[in-house]
Amino acid sequence: MFWTRLVSGIVLLILAIVFIFVGGLPLWAISLLISLIGMFELYRVLKIEKKAVSWIGYIGAVVYYALLYFKISSEYEVILFVVMLLLEMVIYVFTFPEYKTEEITASFFGLFYVAVLFSFLYQTRALKDGKLLAWLILISSWGSDTCAYAVGMLIGKHKVTPKLSPKKSLEGCIGGVCGAALIAYVYANFVRNYMVEVENPLLACTVGCALGAVVSQIGDLAASAIKRNHEIKDYGNLIPGHGGILDRFDSMLFTAPIVFFAVMFLG
């Protein structure tokens, strides 16, 4: 299991490096694909993957990504979400009592939780300095995970959420945040002279990754809470040794928008 997980992790890292470096249409396409698979995994856990409302979510994700790719005004995104909700209400009313209220809300939730949040990886890469800034998302998610694990194994004693995740310690969480911030600071020192839009790369990168690392751990715990509520171990088995898409990218769902907004405001 260890070697399977290690090899899969290395392959994922290489693919992430390639797609983020290339950006553009390839990154847009893989981000959409990951979002759709992640939505399917979530819908399967919530037991709506075969129902009509799930297709409203999938179609909504595709249209949303199309709006991003063609840089169509964000006002149309609001229109899209309103239309989606209205369509789900139509299905809810005219098929009553086939659907429960939570099934309708689950479809809408899936679009935002997976597709919209993950889209900020592509949106960050699309910024003028995106080729350099997008790496902060990996640092604040996968980097903080590694640092948190190492610190937790060495000195972790105080449990943060003993019922939800008994292995996570306060020391590990702090180590993850500090580790991500330190890596980001070192990274910013190497690339700051190549940034043209970010005025204060050291501040933006360091604080952005620190904030990203905090919400990264919240994202990881949120995904665990959903799995615990529905009594499953993993969201899927697509990635050997890691589980499903949501098992591997759960923290990135939260770090991507935080890094994007942090860079926008602090930069």
Side-chain angles (χ1 to χ4, degrees):
M1 175 61 76
F2 171 78
W3 291 108
T4 300
R5 185 179 177 85
L6 178 62
V7 172
S8 295
I10 293 173
V11 171
L12 282 175
L13 181 60
I14 293 173
L15 290 175
I17 291 173
V18 171
F19 279 104
I20 291 177
F21 179 79
V22 174
L25 181 60
L27 180 60
W28 176 87
I30 195 66
S31 297
L32 173 58
L33 179 61
I34 288 173
S35 295
L36 291 174
I37 296 174
M39 289 174 68
F40 172 78
E41 290 178 349
L42 180 64
Y43 288 162
R44 182 171 56 191
V45 170
L46 301 177
K47 296 180 173 56
I48 63 168
E49 81 278 10
K50 296 181 180 179
K51 298 191 175 184
V53 289
S54 67
W55 285 99
I56 301 294
Y58 298 139
I59 294 171
V62 173
V63 175
Y64 170 73
Y65 267 84
L67 294 176
L68 290 179
Y69 184 75
F70 292 106
K71 299 180 180 179
I72 298 175
S73 173
S74 58
E75 294 177 357
Y76 287 92
E77 295 176 12
V78 177
I79 295 174
L80 167 65
F81 300 142
V82 171
V83 171
M84 277 189 58
L85 183 57
L86 290 176
L87 288 175
E88 291 183 346
M89 289 297 101
V90 168
I91 294 175
Y92 184 40
V93 169
F94 287 99
T95 61
F96 189 85
E98 180 179 346
Y99 289 97
K100 296 179 180 178
T101 307
E102 52 268 30
E103 291 177 319
I104 299 297
T105 55
S107 172
F108 207 63
F109 169 73
L111 171 69
F112 282 90
Y113 176 60
V114 183
V116 173
L117 292 184
F118 193 76
S119 74
F120 281 94
L121 172 62
Y122 170 75
Q123 294 187 66
T124 302
R125 178 61 178 82
L127 295 173
K128 188 174 293 186
D129 292 323
K131 184 176 288 188
L132 301 173
L133 295 172
W135 304 107
L136 300 177
I137 297 173
L138 297 185
I139 293 173
S140 58
S141 55
W142 296 352
S144 74
D145 281 350
T146 303
C147 292
Y149 177 78
V151 173
M153 289 292 292
L154 290 172
I155 60 173
K157 292 182 179 180
H158 302 87
K159 305 304 180 184
V160 179
T161 54
K163 290 186 178 180
L164 178 58
S165 185
K167 294 183 179 181
K168 285 191 180 295
S169 65
L170 177 61
E171 293 82 359
C173 291
I174 295 174
V177 174
C178 294
L182 179 60
I183 296 171
Y185 180 80
V186 173
Y187 172 74
N189 272 285
F190 281 101
V191 303
R192 61 180 177 175
N193 293 329
Y194 300 99
M195 292 188 180
V196 296
E197 190 175 38
V198 179
E199 296 180 358
N200 194 335
L202 291 177
L203 176 66
C205 293
T206 304
V207 176
C209 270
L211 294 174
V214 172
V215 297
S216 167
Q217 297 177 64
I218 295 174
D220 183 45
L221 290 170
S224 296
I226 294 174
K227 290 189 288 187
R228 296 254 177 169
N229 279 338
H230 293 84
E231 299 179 343
I232 61 170
K233 183 179 183 296
D234 296 314
Y235 282 101
N237 54 10
L238 183 63
I239 307 173
H242 291 270
I245 286 292
L246 290 181
D247 294 297
R248 181 65 275 183
F249 293 94
D250 51 3
S251 59
M252 195 178 294
L253 295 178
F254 283 64
T255 59
I258 291 299
V259 168
F260 177 85
F261 289 119
V263 167
M264 291 292 288
F265 286 107
L266 296 173

